[in-house]
Amino acid sequence: MQTASFLFEVAVFAPLIGFLVAGCFGHLMGDNAARFTTIALMTCAALSAIGVLGFEMGDVGTFVVPVADWIHAAGFRADWQLRMDMLSVSVVAMVTVVSLLVHVYSVGYMAHEARPVYRFFSYLSLFTFAMLMLVTSDNLLQLFFGWEGVGLASYLLIGYWYDRPSACAAAIKAFVVNRVADLFFLVGISLVFIRLGSVSYDDIFAAIPYHVNDTFVLFGTHPLFEVIATLLFIGAMGKSAQLFLHTWLPDAMEGPTPVSALIHAATMVTAGIFLMVRMSPLVSIAPVTRDLIVLVGGTTSFFAATVGLVQPDIKRTIAYSTCSQLGYMFVAVGVGAYQASMFHLTTHAFFKALLFLGAGCVIHAVHDEQDMFRMGGLWRKIPFTYAAMWIGSLALAGIFPFAGYWSKDAILEAAWMSDSGMAHYGWVMGCVTAFLTALYSWRLIFLVFHGTPRDAHLHDGAHESPASMLVPVGLLSVGAVVAGVVLAPFYIGSHQAAFWNGAIAAIPGHDVIERLEQTPGLIALVPTFAAVFGIVVAYVCYIASPGIPAALARSLRPLYLFLLNKWYFDELYDVAIIRPYRAIARLLWKGVDEDVVEGIPEGLARLTAGSAGQAVRIQTGSMAVYAFSMLIGLVVLLTTMLFFR
């Protein structure tokens, strides 16, 4: 156990050391040394995490590694401890491995960066450490610390090219949108402490049976745990870019491509899923909140897929697929299939990181161009990247035997086998989205790699990426192929109960994971049929008859513009929130701050100065004038006294 706890601490704190060394001394040691240091420490972290995973699979169970006393104030106590159970250990292994591959990939991708890149590598390590703090937390406050840490790191990484106004705006947008959701999350944590007396997971879970019938008055009387679960879910919606709080994710593509792979595919955006699964004992007894989770998740998966159909930017297309896949994970949480949600989170990390890094190879090959309509015919120029994108797309579409097939189909089967009508809504949305996912994935492949080159200059200059970029892509390709079949028995199969070992709670009397094998055969095949049909439609539209998409865009122009403009969410928020807020801010600035807060003191100062100026003029220095003034004053005084006598 001591060995496992030591390796666990190494896995968590090695990225922090990398951040401190590269961030504080990078300008002295140089880019090469900073890159080597951060990659070496990430290698230690990844190997240690894999070692801990081996120990945990040996039935270690839940173990807490003390780090330091943290906050002790009156009745509030929150210590800094690392929670080592299969839920945290599995995510730590995934995060460190993917982060290591992104670090290595960044060596080649950022090789032509004009400014020093030690800062970039330090930010990558900071982000990794913050995410590890989130998933290894032993209490909600420590989780919130990591939660805000990944928010800060994402702000720094999205806005890394700070000389670009679009990058700065995207970083601010991501930061602000997440702060809106974090307010609800923080209120939820506060309510947990006020009503349950602790923020520690073990204390919270132990107290749940004694407060099942508690209520909370907020616009009526509601069950306490419904209110808490809803507040936590709204926090998760922001971090995991669900509908209404999703607008930051596509704009976050302004950061370097490795940032997209690390933050918006494998780690940060899955923090909301992790929160819901970690709090599964509480979420399981909040059926109304679970229906809400299914509704939002299923609708998000469909919404993001429809927008991905028409995006011209290669990275934004993949970004919307991230929104869509996160919707699947929330559907799994809502129907109580937490194991399937974590399974898809893990497989998604491999194939989505693969797609982003593959897109980075394409962008690198065509001199930073991201518009797919300027590409075409690249498969002969970059065959390795082409094969990797096929593997990633097959996994994303859920084609057997690739990773996505095992995890996404498990979610849809769980939704079908669940007893609620809302779960069936999630199944319908998931199957429709499976078709749309395959359609926009092969739209990307056919536009980028097939057909006639649309820009001869870009095509002629295209070249395969260096080995530092292709090796991580190759390793992720292996993960996208085998992760599903290797992990399925442990995450959702016959060994899942022993594998999770109590780290995930099941809904009492409704363990849907145990019923997956009872799914009717035809129902189980529907997602695959939908995906294959999507591939066929994409082939017809972009290879066999490439004029069809343009004709549809002309004939259905209102719908096309609706999708191209992302359902007009940004415009709606601009009219309903941004402009009124800006008007109120301007009123408070000009009308209140400048005219009142600053105007009154300045007016008094001007009045005093003017009065003093007039008083100065009275001082003439003439004795006759002074005597005459005194005489007039005396006459006025006597007259007044006699008149009012």
Side-chain angles (χ1 to χ4, degrees):
M1 178 55 66
Q2 290 182 345
T3 302
S5 62
F6 172 75
L7 291 176
F8 201 51
E9 290 182 276
V10 171
V12 172
F13 289 107
L16 175 62
I17 298 173
F19 160 68
L20 294 174
V21 172
C24 297
F25 305 106
H27 64 291
L28 298 175
M29 61 197 307
D31 284 346
N32 290 333
R35 283 193 290 254
F36 175 80
T37 301
T38 53
I39 291 174
L41 288 166
M42 278 308 310
T43 302
C44 292
L47 294 176
S48 298
I50 294 172
V52 176
L53 185 61
F55 277 104
E56 191 66 29
M57 292 184 70
D59 198 20
V60 172
T62 299
F63 186 75
V64 174
V65 181
V67 176
D69 292 340
W70 192 23
I71 300 175
H72 296 174
F76 182 83
R77 183 184 181 94
D79 290 327
W80 194 357
Q81 302 180 128
L82 306 181
R83 187 179 185 88
M84 192 170 71
D85 60 8
M86 185 50 73
L87 179 59
S88 61
V89 168
S90 61
V91 179
V92 167
M94 180 270 289
V95 169
T96 52
V97 169
V98 172
S99 180
L100 171 60
L101 295 177
V102 171
H103 274 72
V104 174
Y105 180 92
S106 299
V107 173
Y109 192 86
M110 304 296 287
H112 302 295
E113 180 69 16
R115 60 172 65 92
V117 296
Y118 66 84
R119 183 168 56 88
F120 179 78
F121 281 86
S122 70
Y123 289 167
L124 289 181
S125 294
L126 172 63
F127 175 83
T128 305
F129 168 71
M131 186 66 191
L132 294 175
M133 289 309 306
L134 189 157
V135 301
T136 60
S137 61
D138 191 47
N139 58 71
L140 283 172
L141 195 64
Q142 187 180 337
L143 184 146
F144 189 73
F145 170 77
W147 191 275
E148 295 303 292
V150 293
L152 169 64
S154 67
Y155 171 80
L156 297 172
L157 286 167
I158 295 168
Y160 176 74
W161 286 319
Y162 54 82
D163 52 347
R164 300 181 182 178
S166 58
C168 294
I172 293 172
K173 185 176 183 179
F175 197 81
V176 171
V177 172
N178 276 275
R179 296 294 75 71
V180 173
D182 291 351
L183 174 62
F184 291 89
F185 184 21
L186 195 56
V187 172
I189 295 174
S190 303
L191 187 56
V192 167
F193 174 72
I194 292 170
R195 300 300 292 268
L196 303 185
S198 177
V199 293
S200 171
Y201 296 143
D202 289 336
D203 293 341
I204 293 170
F205 300 155
I208 286 176
Y210 303 101
H211 296 270
V212 171
N213 297 320
D214 288 6
T215 59
F216 187 81
V217 178
L218 179 68
F219 306 115
T221 302
H222 308 281
L224 173 64
F225 291 127
E226 292 283 7
V227 176
I228 293 175
T230 300
L231 290 170
L232 298 181
F233 172 58
I234 294 174
M237 285 176 62
K239 195 67 73 182
S240 294
Q242 292 301 281
L243 196 66
F244 303 115
L245 293 172
H246 67 280
T247 54
W248 66 272
L249 184 64
D251 290 353
M253 298 302 104
E254 290 291 339
T257 299
V259 172
S260 304
L262 181 62
I263 297 181
H264 307 295
T267 50
M268 173 181 167
V269 293
T270 58
I273 306 296
F274 178 85
L275 170 64
M276 293 288 98
V277 175
R278 173 59 81 192
M279 300 303 293
S280 56
L282 190 151
V283 176
S284 296
I285 57 174
V288 176
T289 302
R290 288 194 289 108
D291 282 347
L292 175 64
I293 293 172
V294 174
L295 175 63
V296 173
T299 307
T300 300
S301 65
F302 173 75
F303 151 75
T306 61
V307 177
L309 286 175
V310 298
Q311 293 301 305
D313 187 290
I314 184 172
K315 286 175 62 177
R316 284 179 179 266
T317 301
I318 301 173
Y320 275 106
S321 80
T322 300
C323 277
S324 187
Q325 297 304 304
L326 289 166
Y328 278 104
M329 298 177 208
F330 275 109
V331 168
V333 169
V335 301
Y338 305 106
Q339 299 90 332
S341 182
M342 292 304 300
F343 188 23
H344 197 51
L345 183 153
T346 304
T347 59
H348 176 263
F350 286 102
F351 63 74
K352 187 51 62 65
L354 170 61
L355 286 170
F356 268 118
L357 296 188
C361 290
V362 172
I363 295 168
H364 183 270
V366 293
H367 310 291
D368 298 328
E369 179 58 58
Q370 295 183 198
D371 188 346
M372 294 186 291
F373 289 98
R374 296 194 61 196
M375 302 177 191
L378 290 175
W379 75 271
R380 285 191 175 89
K381 291 283 187 175
I382 45 176
F384 188 91
T385 302
Y386 173 63
M389 293 296 285
W390 260 90
I391 292 172
S393 298
L394 288 167
L396 174 64
I399 302 299
F400 179 85
F402 295 87
Y405 166 80
W406 303 92
S407 56
K408 186 162 70 175
D409 281 27
I411 291 174
L412 294 177
E413 290 172 12
W416 179 266
M417 296 302 294
S418 184
D419 299 327
S420 71
M422 189 59 70
H424 291 162
Y425 169 81
W427 181 84
V428 172
M429 289 292 99
C431 291
V432 173
T433 302
F435 163 74
L436 298 175
T437 299
L439 178 54
Y440 68 67
S441 295
W442 267 263
R443 169 182 178 266
L444 184 154
I445 288 177
F446 294 145
L447 284 176
V448 172
F449 296 103
H450 291 272
T452 304
R454 299 171 188 84
D455 189 315
H457 175 70
L458 291 180
H459 179 268
D460 294 341
H463 56 86
E464 197 65 271
S465 301
S468 60
M469 296 171 65
L470 295 183
V471 169
V473 168
L475 293 175
L476 288 170
S477 298
V478 174
V481 174
V482 305
V485 66
V486 170
L487 297 178
F490 300 99
Y491 276 72
I492 60 171
S494 57
H495 304 297
Q496 64 91 13
F499 178 79
W500 294 113
N501 199 12
I504 295 177
I507 299 175
H510 182 73
D511 192 352
V512 70
I513 292 295
E514 299 291 344
R515 299 162 55 192
L516 290 184
E517 294 183 358
Q518 303 172 19
T519 307
L522 181 60
I523 295 299
L525 289 174
V526 168
T528 300
F529 289 152
V532 172
F533 183 54
I535 297 173
V536 172
V537 172
Y539 176 82
V540 171
C541 291
Y542 293 97
I543 298 296
S545 301
I548 292 178
L552 287 175
R554 287 192 300 269
S555 59
L556 302 174
R557 186 163 182 77
L559 177 61
Y560 171 75
L561 292 176
F562 180 71
L563 299 181
L564 185 64
N565 288 282
K566 302 159 287 188
W567 289 27
Y568 291 104
F569 270 105
D570 285 307
E571 290 78 4
L572 176 63
Y573 288 166
D574 183 62
V575 172
I577 300 175
I578 304 301
R579 292 184 185 179
Y581 180 83
R582 186 178 297 160
I584 294 172
R586 180 172 291 276
L587 174 64
L588 294 175
W589 167 34
K590 291 291 187 181
V592 177
D593 189 37
E594 290 189 353
D595 294 346
V596 178
V597 177
E598 295 179 5
I600 291 176
E602 290 179 357
L604 291 174
R606 287 193 296 268
L607 178 62
T608 303
S611 301
Q614 295 299 322
V616 166
R617 296 179 182 179
I618 297 174
Q619 305 300 320
T620 62
S622 172
M623 294 298 295
V625 172
Y626 295 158
F628 182 70
S629 299
M630 293 173 62
L631 179 60
I632 293 175
L634 180 60
V635 170
V636 171
L637 178 62
L638 292 174
T639 302
T640 302
M641 292 176 62
L642 291 173
F643 181 78
F644 289 102
R645 184 176 178 181

